[in-house]
Amino acid sequence: TDFDSKKKRKVAEIYQALNSDPIDVATLRRMAISEGGLLTDEIRCKVWPKLLSVNTDDLPPPPGKELREDNKDYQQVLLDVRRSLRRFPPGMPDDQREVLQEELIDIILHVLKRNPQLHYYQGYHDIVVTFLLVVGDRLATALVEKLSTHHLRDFMDPTMDNTKHILNYLMPIIDQVNPEVHDFMQSAEVGTIFALSWLITWFGHVLSDFRHVVRLYDFFLACHPLMPIYFAAVIVLYREQEVLDCECDMASVHHLLSQIPQDLPYETLISRAGDLFVQFPPSELAREAAQQQAERTAASTFKDFELASVQQRPDTVLRQRFRERLRGEERTKSILTKPRTNRFVKLAVMGLTVALGAAALAVVKSALEWAPKFELQIFP
């Protein structure tokens, strides 16, 4: 079938990128973002480390008994992991699950012990268990440690200030695309706390189908640390009619939005989130979103992280495909350059980019082009 042939071509392209010298990370990012993501856990075991610049030849040693002794987080981690039964595949034998739960505890404690500046939060284990189930305990330990000191760093501060700051990007994104939904939510005074568990678990806690969780992880690992908040925004925008039909009060709107549908069109929403990131990058939204010090957020350290490895430019994929699809369409370009004052013009452009969808993901040039153009001036 056409689907099978597309899948075979994609697998071949992924392995070709992995076998290149140097490894073609730009192509791996494109594969992770484009329709279907990385397809299998076997491929994820090979690609996820490349997306995070983790050396698989230098993995942490197996944990010793001393890891759990005198660890201030042990009791809380233990409680959370024991409550995490639904994060394991249904039908998994109890003894197998119990082994995985012990490994999950050790991974978390290892990362925290080696990085005392990081603080455990409830929900962290939802991210860690996803890596454990896909790549096994030792590789998961290395991946989670890198992730925790970069993408997840803001969630692991002593306070929730930076997490709240990231949530503050949600409403400006919605405002750019659909002012009516934005104004309705503002009138309802619903805030953004409904999206907290989405953000801090990368949706792992709220989606029941593991396939959808790992598909999102492919996407997030290939992109900027703020991409999960763009994905949260497209979920709200996708539910526009439900939101507007709701009673305009905090309790009703919060209840509606906190119950995330399980049958979302994930590929469409991933494509929309990528389009929104290109149209309304964090730097454009920052004044509305932030009062934080730039050096204290993961987004501000992301460039340093990327420069540590050649061709690790995650958002080139999004920017290149967006630019390529609009090349030659002068009318569209002129609309894109109009100032933000006419929000309904932006809305029309959003319609166009959604129509481009996943097909537009096919084009990526040199990942290195991205570096000087994204100076990460995310804050005023």
Side-chain angles (χ1 to χ4, degrees):
T1 66
D2 183 51
F3 174 77
D4 288 337
S5 62
K6 278 172 65 177
K7 185 174 177 180
K8 283 179 182 174
R9 281 198 304 273
K10 187 167 192 179
V11 170
E13 198 169 347
I14 290 170
Y15 278 100
Q16 185 179 350
L18 284 167
N19 294 326
S20 297
D21 188 15
I23 288 169
D24 185 354
V25 179
T27 292
L28 295 179
R29 291 194 185 282
R30 175 163 59 86
M31 297 292 100
I33 292 169
S34 63
E35 188 174 1
L38 294 173
L39 302 171
T40 70
D41 287 353
E42 181 185 357
I43 291 174
R44 290 182 178 102
C45 287
K46 294 178 170 65
V47 175
W48 281 3
K50 308 307 177 192
L51 297 180
L52 286 173
S53 299
V54 166
N55 180 3
T56 55
D57 295 325
D58 185 26
L59 296 178
K65 290 182 180 179
E66 73 283 353
L67 190 60
R68 301 190 184 197
E69 294 170 4
D70 301 320
N71 191 302
K72 65 182 175 61
D73 295 301
Y74 174 61
Q75 289 302 325
Q76 185 60 56
V77 171
L78 181 65
L79 285 172
D80 289 347
V81 168
R82 282 180 176 166
R83 286 196 294 255
S84 66
L85 297 186
R86 70 178 196 84
R87 289 305 318 279
F88 293 89
M92 175 179 278
D94 287 349
D95 55 349
Q96 187 181 347
R97 190 200 70 245
E98 286 163 9
V99 169
L100 287 169
Q101 286 179 305
E102 293 302 309
E103 291 175 349
L104 179 56
I105 293 168
D106 285 338
I107 294 170
I108 294 170
L109 295 180
H110 172 91
V111 172
L112 294 172
K113 186 171 184 178
R114 278 175 47 92
N115 300 274
Q117 78 278 16
L118 300 178
H119 295 259
Y120 177 75
Y121 65 89
Q122 287 182 284
Y124 181 68
H125 70 287
D126 283 299
I127 289 183
V128 180
V129 73
T130 303
F131 284 90
L132 173 62
L133 291 172
V134 172
V135 304
D137 60 333
R138 290 192 61 206
L139 181 51
T141 304
L143 296 181
V144 167
E145 182 167 10
K146 176 59 77 75
L147 200 68
S148 301
T149 53
H150 292 92
H151 293 65
L152 306 179
R153 199 188 94 192
D154 295 330
F155 309 145
M156 305 189 77
D157 273 355
T159 71
M160 283 191 63
D161 289 349
N162 284 336
T163 302
K164 291 174 188 171
H165 166 65
I166 295 170
L167 281 168
N168 285 343
Y169 278 83
L170 183 67
M171 295 305 288
I173 298 168
I174 293 170
D175 189 27
Q176 293 283 7
V177 180
N178 194 323
E180 186 182 5
V181 169
H182 170 272
D183 294 348
F184 181 89
M185 291 173 67
Q186 291 287 69
S187 297
E189 299 182 342
V190 69
T192 56
I193 203 71
F194 65 86
L196 177 63
S197 64
W198 306 357
L199 184 67
I200 65 174
T201 69
W202 275 13
F203 296 84
H205 184 71
V206 292
L207 297 180
S208 56
D209 192 325
F210 192 70
R211 294 171 305 164
H212 297 151
V213 175
V214 294
R215 172 67 189 100
L216 284 181
Y217 278 41
D218 292 343
F219 179 47
F220 296 153
L221 287 170
C223 291
H224 189 281
L226 289 178
M227 190 56 81
I229 204 67
Y230 282 80
F231 192 79
V234 298
I235 290 178
V236 176
L237 291 163
Y238 173 73
R239 303 182 71 191
E240 168 192 1
Q241 204 53 55
E242 287 179 85
V243 173
L244 296 177
D245 288 345
C246 193
E247 290 291 326
C248 189
D249 64 74
M250 189 272 284
S252 302
V253 180
H254 177 85
H255 178 73
L256 172 74
L257 289 174
S258 59
Q259 306 296 313
I260 195 167
Q262 297 297 313
D263 58 347
L264 294 167
Y266 291 93
E267 295 300 336
T268 301
L269 297 184
I270 284 169
S271 185
R272 288 183 185 180
D275 289 340
L276 281 182
F277 185 93
V278 176
Q279 283 181 268
F280 312 114
S283 55
E284 191 175 304
L285 304 172
R287 290 192 183 280
E288 297 172 65
Q291 299 295 328
Q292 292 290 338
Q293 291 292 324
E295 63 269 14
R296 293 195 58 212
T297 65
S300 69
T301 63
F302 193 59
K303 188 179 179 190
D304 295 337
F305 167 51
E306 289 307 318
L307 290 176
S309 177
V310 175
Q311 287 197 327
Q312 296 270 337
R313 311 287 178 232
D315 303 309
T316 306
V317 177
L318 302 172
R319 294 167 188 281
Q320 288 284 9
R321 68 92 186 256
F322 190 80
R323 207 176 293 129
E324 189 76 16
R325 292 292 296 170
L326 294 179
R327 185 168 293 153
E329 299 179 27
E330 293 301 326
R331 179 176 171 277
T332 303
K333 283 187 177 180
S334 68
I335 291 174
L336 280 170
T337 57
K338 287 184 180 179
R340 182 187 175 279
T341 48
N342 189 341
R343 297 185 294 184
F344 293 96
V345 172
K346 291 278 192 181
L347 194 57
V349 177
M350 179 60 187
L352 170 73
T353 56
V354 169
L356 298 179
L361 284 157
V363 183
V364 174
K365 291 185 181 176
S366 167
L368 296 173
E369 280 183 26
W370 176 73
K373 294 176 183 172
F374 195 80
E375 293 300 329
L376 280 167
Q377 293 173 356
I378 290 183
F379 300 87

